[in-house]
């Protein structure tokens, strides 16, 4: 484990480190019960597991949308959410937490675009207002990103005029526009009609190929196998397996993961037949 005061940009140090993370919503049951996870620059890590296993809680804790009960997280070696003060640890101020959160982006299942803003403004707002990017530069960058997600002609449209798949691609462009150190996805295709899933996965794949560091909570097993470098399997708030993607699927070690993959494959076969 590296100290929080190490210099940034060290390739041997993970972009994100999660150490012994614990989270409880009610003080009795732990939604996360000691999670360790290292993510290195350019890595894509898929998070799989049954419903209720703690996948959303994990990415929400990393993005500091939730308080934590134990453990620690580091972004580029910097302790998240807390600081050392004399001989103890104290919570950071809201302003310092906001500063740390600017260095990551999250893509949610429900897009969360602002309905009254154009696509362009949805993408440029944070770079201009939060990151201090000059408006002309932010707009040029947004147009380039819209081109990359295949929506250059939708800059002036409003979210309601777009399909779910198009809205999610805008949400991804918005997440990338702030040049985050890491991009977090929480089931980005789960609310989409089946025929719109692939266009979003394609955009995520091209982002992965461009070297973006990503954590992707997903049920899309093919995407996890083909695009992710590593897959982690969670159950009951703990990481049961953390393996290179090929091994994860071809040689699952735990009976829980074996059962999960078997059921997922059977469900998939049933869908294809239907
Ligand atoms: N806001 C919340 N309040 C109380 N319990 C929650 C909340 N969010 C999640 N939980 C509980 O935490 C556990 C993990 O949930 P979650 O992280 O949403 O799992 P997953 O994303 O893998 O389906 C579950 O037992 C769930 O019921
Ligand atoms: Mg979830």
């Amino acid at each position: 484990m590296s100290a929080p005061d190490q210099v940034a940009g060290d390739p041997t140090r993970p972009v994100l480190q999660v150490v012994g993370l614990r989270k409880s919503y009610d003080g009795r049951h732990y939604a996360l019960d000691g999670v360790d996870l290292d993510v290195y620059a350019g890595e894509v890590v898929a998070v799989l597991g049954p419903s209720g296993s703690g996948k959303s809680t994990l990415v929400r804790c990393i993005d500091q949308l939730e308080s934590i009960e134990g453990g620690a997280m580091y972004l580029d070696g910097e302790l998240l959410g807390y600081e050392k003060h004399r001989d103890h640890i104290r919570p950071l101020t809201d302003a310092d937490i906001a500063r740390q959160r600017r260095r990551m982006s999250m893509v949610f299942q429900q897009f969360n675009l602002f309905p009254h803003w154009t696509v362009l403004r949805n993408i440029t707002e944070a770079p201009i207002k939060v990151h201090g990017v000059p408006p002309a530069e932010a707009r040029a960058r947004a147009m380039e990103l819209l081109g990359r997600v295949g929506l250059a002609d939708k800059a002036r449209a409003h979210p309601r005029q777009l399909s779910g798949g198009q809205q999610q691609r805008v949400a991804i462009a918005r997440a990338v526009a702030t040049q985050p150190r890491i991009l977090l996805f929480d089931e980005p295709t789960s609310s989409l009609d089946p025929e719109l899933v692939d266009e979003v996965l394609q955009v995520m794949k091209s982002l992965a190929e461009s070297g973006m560091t990503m954590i992707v909570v997903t049920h899309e097993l093919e995407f996890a196998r083909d695009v992710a470098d590593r897959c982690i399997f969670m159950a009951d708030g703990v990481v049961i397996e953390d393996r290179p993607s090929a091994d994860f699927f071809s040689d699952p070690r735990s009976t829980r993961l074996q059962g999960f993959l078997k059921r997922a494959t059977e469900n998939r076969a049933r869908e294809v037949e239907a």
Side-chain angles (χ1 to χ4, degrees):
M1 201 177 91
S2 46
D5 55 357
Q6 260 186 297
V7 214
D10 175 357
T12 64
R13 188 188 57 198
V15 170
L16 178 80
Q17 272 184 293
V18 176
V19 186
L21 183 63
R22 300 188 88 203
K23 164 71 186 173
S24 176
Y25 291 99
D26 60 9
R28 283 172 293 150
H29 165 258
Y30 279 89
L32 298 177
D33 200 1
V35 168
D36 298 311
L37 175 65
D38 285 349
V39 184
Y40 288 85
E43 260 193 319
V44 177
V45 177
V47 180
L48 292 91
S51 175
S53 57
K55 306 179 300 293
S56 293
T57 302
L58 175 61
V59 286
R60 291 178 58 83
C61 285
I62 293 168
D63 200 23
Q64 301 196 61
L65 296 168
E66 304 287 351
S67 60
I68 63 173
E69 272 66 55
M73 299 174 289
Y74 301 88
L75 184 65
D76 289 320
E78 181 184 327
L79 181 62
L80 292 178
Y82 297 85
E83 65 182 350
K84 274 196 190 132
H85 179 67
R86 303 213 176 101
D87 56 351
H88 66 287
I89 297 272
R90 67 179 182 192
L92 288 177
T93 62
D94 289 350
D96 281 334
I97 288 175
R99 179 181 53 76
Q100 291 183 333
R101 293 193 63 233
R102 275 175 224 152
R103 285 152 50 204
M104 29 189 151
S105 291
M106 177 111 118
V107 175
F108 300 89
Q109 190 174 325
Q110 295 296 343
F111 332 137
N112 297 357
L113 298 173
F114 286 97
H116 305 301
W117 292 351
T118 62
V119 161
L120 189 66
R121 184 161 176 207
N122 266 284
I123 300 173
T124 56
E125 187 74 3
I128 295 170
K129 293 283 167 60
V130 182
H131 293 255
V133 177
E137 189 182 322
R139 279 192 288 271
R141 171 110 183 98
M143 288 309 301
E144 185 206 319
L145 285 170
L146 278 173
R148 275 172 62 187
V149 302
L151 294 171
D153 56 335
K154 300 293 185 192
R156 298 282 158 206
H158 282 79
R160 67 173 176 279
Q161 298 167 300
L162 306 182
S163 72
Q166 290 173 328
Q167 289 188 54
Q168 191 61 303
R169 286 188 275 152
V170 172
I172 293 172
R174 174 181 62 177
V176 175
T178 51
Q179 300 184 300
R181 289 289 291 152
I182 188 163
L183 203 47
L184 310 169
F185 293 86
D186 191 3
E187 300 203 23
T189 58
S190 292
S191 71
L192 298 176
D193 293 333
E195 71 273 18
L196 302 178
V197 167
D198 274 349
E199 65 190 58
V200 172
L201 293 179
Q202 277 306 321
V203 163
M204 292 168 62
K205 182 170 186 228
S206 82
L207 267 184
E209 284 165 355
S210 77
M212 179 67 77
T213 309
M214 299 166 36
I215 297 179
V216 184
V217 176
T218 186
H219 293 296
E220 296 292 333
L221 299 190
E222 273 172 46
F223 177 85
R225 189 193 59 206
D226 298 344
V227 177
D229 299 292
R230 272 163 51 217
C231 292
I232 74 173
F233 177 64
M234 291 184 69
D236 299 332
V238 296
V239 174
I240 305 236
E241 297 206 26
D242 177 346
R243 312 265 301 283
S245 300
D247 305 345
F248 184 93
F249 288 96
S250 65
D251 177 32
R253 287 184 183 148
S254 61
T255 47
R256 298 229 23 199
L257 177 55
Q258 288 163 6
F260 177 82
L261 292 175
K262 186 161 175 281
R263 275 189 301 280
T265 313
E266 285 164 1
N267 288 343
R268 177 104 185 130
R270 222 168 288 137
E271 277 166 27
V272 171
E273 270 168 37

